[in-house]
Amino acid sequence: MSKEIQAIRGMNDCLPQDTPVWQYVEQMIRQTVNSYGYDEIRFPIVEMTELFKRSIGEVTDIVEKEMYTFADRNGDSLTLRPEGTACCVRAGIQNGLLYNQEQRLWYMGPMFRHERPQKGRYRQFHQFGLEVFGMQGPDIDAEVILVSARLWQQLGLTPYVRLELNSLGSNEARAAYRDKLVAYLEQHKELLDEDSQRRLYSNPLRVLDSKNPAMADMLAGAPQLLDHLDEDSKLHFAGLQARLQAAGIEFTINPRLVRGLDYYNKTVFEWVTTNLGSQGTVCAGGRYDGLVEQLGGKATPAVGFGLGLERLVLLLQSLPLLPQISNAADFYLMPLGDAAELAAVSVAEQLRLALPGKRVMLHCGGGNLKKQLKRADKSGAAIGLLLGDSELAAGQVTVKWLRADQPQQTVLIADLAAVLAQV
Ligand code: ATP
Ligand code: MG
């Protein structure tokens, strides 16, 4: 036997028993974004490496150590997309969707990060994201958050997630704050771990985000960004809070929420759950007014979020919330005999035409009634359809209930679709 080839670590198959849950989640997402008037955008999985370096930031976890980057045959440096926002902005600029326009966009698909695989953290994972362009007020920030809140509600998850908010202010306010933070951290240099020492000058705000318990007390005493906001950002933040309150969305303010990507300003938020252990952030986003210009477009305000679908599916599966989702067949057609086998193909085709949405399976591989009934049972079908040569001669099919104590019934082939439509 040849040696088996395994999938790449952290890149999972989604098996047939799990796809119904994914389809359910995807359908709820489509329904939700549609109800807010958002349009879908799709962009490539591979982009120029420069796109992510310039947007996410050189001194971030993603760019420093998580990207799948390779040289293609021309020698260009390409990267498997680690997130969607940069790609969406690139596509928007390139296709003239952004300047002087309002766009409410969403996307869904695989992302790639070379992280240590564990529950809720994979190397290929999937995100659903929203990106809105051309609106600068807190009203649209609130709407973006409301879309995510609506999705929790649709899925029954509202009691299991909570919203954390912060404001990063303007670039100028953040730069002034940065100096104060660096001065404070320098005073406590001996307490900084290796990552934080490295970031002290390159990306000090990220030090605030550290989960290292040994630094917790020191960080609790650090100056807070919220006390250093510019007037415009303060008003924006107050406006967002008022709108969320008016909409009945509960939140807490987390002054240390800074997010791991460099492009955010003003609003940042995360939806977190305690049901997934340390991988508790299900959805994260914020405003990124500078990014379009940074990537070569005309200045355009923007806000969005990314939501991890694996974490969402894990959360759903950890709770008794999933509706009965089945991929069972509805009807299993069993031809018995050579003539019946030929005729059955068109009987099945007719049913599929007349009953869209129903799963009509035609037995393949012949065999006697017992064998075919066994397959019918395995298919999960509620109803078996028997087509023997004698039935065929009479233009009939025997309808047999496989999971209910109900007498079988003989039906004319011509009437079959109409009868099955009633069951
Ligand atoms: P984390 O703090 O968990 O590393 P992040 O800040 O790197 O998350 P974002 O870049 O904001 O995450 O991505 C948005 C969402 O995508 C996350 O909140 C999470 O639900 C999901 N996500 C991010 N990285 C992964 C991963 N490696 N595997 C599965 N889901 C992920
Ligand atoms: Mg991460």
Side-chain angles (χ1 to χ4, degrees), residues 191 193 210-219 256:
L191 291 173
D193 60 20
S210 165
K211 310 261 169 358
N212 185 345
M215 291 170 39
D217 284 346
M218 181 274 289
L219 289 178
R256 278 178 40 200

mmCIF file of all heavy atoms in Angstrom, residues 191 193 210-219 256:
data_model
loop_
_atom_site.group_PDB
_atom_site.id
_atom_site.type_symbol
_atom_site.label_atom_id
_atom_site.label_comp_id
_atom_site.label_asym_id
_atom_site.label_seq_id
_atom_site.Cartn_x
_atom_site.Cartn_y
_atom_site.Cartn_z
ATOM 1 N N LEU A 191 9.358 44.554 34.067
ATOM 2 C CA LEU A 191 8.180 43.680 34.109
ATOM 3 C C LEU A 191 7.705 43.244 32.719
ATOM 4 O O LEU A 191 6.850 42.369 32.596
ATOM 5 C CB LEU A 191 7.015 44.406 34.812
ATOM 6 C CG LEU A 191 7.168 44.651 36.311
ATOM 7 C CD1 LEU A 191 6.037 45.513 36.848
ATOM 8 C CD2 LEU A 191 7.212 43.314 37.048
ATOM 9 N N ASP A 193 7.467 41.392 29.288
ATOM 10 C CA ASP A 193 7.956 40.127 28.727
ATOM 11 C C ASP A 193 8.633 40.398 27.372
ATOM 12 O O ASP A 193 8.674 41.533 26.900
ATOM 13 C CB ASP A 193 6.825 39.091 28.619
ATOM 14 C CG ASP A 193 5.682 39.557 27.732
ATOM 15 O OD1 ASP A 193 5.890 40.476 26.910
ATOM 16 O OD2 ASP A 193 4.575 39.008 27.870
ATOM 17 N N SER A 210 -1.678 42.515 25.950
ATOM 18 C CA SER A 210 -1.018 41.289 26.407
ATOM 19 C C SER A 210 -1.897 40.529 27.401
ATOM 20 O O SER A 210 -2.543 41.106 28.257
ATOM 21 C CB SER A 210 0.311 41.639 27.077
ATOM 22 O OG SER A 210 0.757 40.509 27.813
ATOM 23 N N LYS A 211 -1.889 39.195 27.228
ATOM 24 C CA LYS A 211 -2.675 38.362 28.138
ATOM 25 C C LYS A 211 -1.784 37.801 29.264
ATOM 26 O O LYS A 211 -2.241 37.010 30.076
ATOM 27 C CB LYS A 211 -3.320 37.207 27.364
ATOM 28 C CG LYS A 211 -4.062 37.612 26.096
ATOM 29 C CD LYS A 211 -5.550 37.708 26.335
ATOM 30 C CE LYS A 211 -6.406 38.337 25.250
ATOM 31 N NZ LYS A 211 -5.904 38.884 24.044
ATOM 32 N N ASN A 212 -0.515 38.215 29.287
ATOM 33 C CA ASN A 212 0.424 37.707 30.285
ATOM 34 C C ASN A 212 0.016 38.161 31.703
ATOM 35 O O ASN A 212 0.042 39.349 32.005
ATOM 36 C CB ASN A 212 1.832 38.229 29.935
ATOM 37 C CG ASN A 212 2.895 37.652 30.854
ATOM 38 O OD1 ASN A 212 2.567 37.088 31.902
ATOM 39 N ND2 ASN A 212 4.154 37.808 30.462
ATOM 40 N N PRO A 213 -0.348 37.198 32.581
ATOM 41 C CA PRO A 213 -0.838 37.570 33.917
ATOM 42 C C PRO A 213 0.212 38.316 34.745
ATOM 43 O O PRO A 213 -0.127 39.165 35.588
ATOM 44 C CB PRO A 213 -1.209 36.231 34.570
ATOM 45 C CG PRO A 213 -0.642 35.161 33.699
ATOM 46 C CD PRO A 213 -0.358 35.746 32.353
ATOM 47 N N ALA A 214 1.486 38.042 34.460
ATOM 48 C CA ALA A 214 2.547 38.707 35.223
ATOM 49 C C ALA A 214 2.581 40.207 34.953
ATOM 50 O O ALA A 214 3.126 40.980 35.747
ATOM 51 C CB ALA A 214 3.902 38.082 34.862
ATOM 52 N N MET A 215 1.998 40.637 33.841
ATOM 53 C CA MET A 215 2.004 42.057 33.507
ATOM 54 C C MET A 215 0.678 42.740 33.841
ATOM 55 O O MET A 215 0.540 43.963 33.670
ATOM 56 C CB MET A 215 2.307 42.244 32.001
ATOM 57 C CG MET A 215 3.742 41.876 31.649
ATOM 58 S SD MET A 215 4.049 41.802 29.863
ATOM 59 C CE MET A 215 3.133 43.151 29.213
ATOM 60 N N ALA A 216 -0.297 41.951 34.322
ATOM 61 C CA ALA A 216 -1.663 42.475 34.468
ATOM 62 C C ALA A 216 -1.723 43.687 35.404
ATOM 63 O O ALA A 216 -2.316 44.717 35.049
ATOM 64 C CB ALA A 216 -2.595 41.372 34.957
ATOM 65 N N ASP A 217 -1.102 43.575 36.592
ATOM 66 C CA ASP A 217 -1.175 44.680 37.562
ATOM 67 C C ASP A 217 -0.532 45.943 37.016
ATOM 68 O O ASP A 217 -1.078 47.034 37.131
ATOM 69 C CB ASP A 217 -0.469 44.292 38.871
ATOM 70 C CG ASP A 217 -1.333 43.346 39.687
ATOM 71 O OD1 ASP A 217 -2.536 43.230 39.351
ATOM 72 O OD2 ASP A 217 -0.800 42.738 40.643
ATOM 73 N N MET A 218 0.644 45.749 36.411
ATOM 74 C CA MET A 218 1.361 46.899 35.861
ATOM 75 C C MET A 218 0.523 47.568 34.783
ATOM 76 O O MET A 218 0.383 48.799 34.756
ATOM 77 C CB MET A 218 2.716 46.410 35.315
ATOM 78 C CG MET A 218 3.605 47.468 34.736
ATOM 79 S SD MET A 218 3.271 47.820 33.022
ATOM 80 C CE MET A 218 3.900 46.318 32.262
ATOM 81 N N LEU A 219 -0.107 46.754 33.907
ATOM 82 C CA LEU A 219 -0.895 47.326 32.815
ATOM 83 C C LEU A 219 -2.162 48.017 33.330
ATOM 84 O O LEU A 219 -2.620 49.009 32.765
ATOM 85 C CB LEU A 219 -1.266 46.249 31.789
ATOM 86 C CG LEU A 219 -0.092 45.746 30.946
ATOM 87 C CD1 LEU A 219 -0.551 44.641 29.993
ATOM 88 C CD2 LEU A 219 0.563 46.881 30.160
ATOM 89 N N ARG A 256 -8.753 48.760 27.480
ATOM 90 C CA ARG A 256 -7.522 48.147 26.972
ATOM 91 C C ARG A 256 -7.715 47.389 25.673
ATOM 92 O O ARG A 256 -6.790 46.760 25.169
ATOM 93 C CB ARG A 256 -6.919 47.249 28.038
ATOM 94 C CG ARG A 256 -6.114 48.120 29.016
ATOM 95 C CD ARG A 256 -5.503 47.392 30.150
ATOM 96 N NE ARG A 256 -4.952 46.111 29.823
ATOM 97 C CZ ARG A 256 -4.723 45.184 30.737
ATOM 98 N NH1 ARG A 256 -5.001 45.412 32.005
ATOM 99 N NH2 ARG A 256 -4.213 44.027 30.386
#
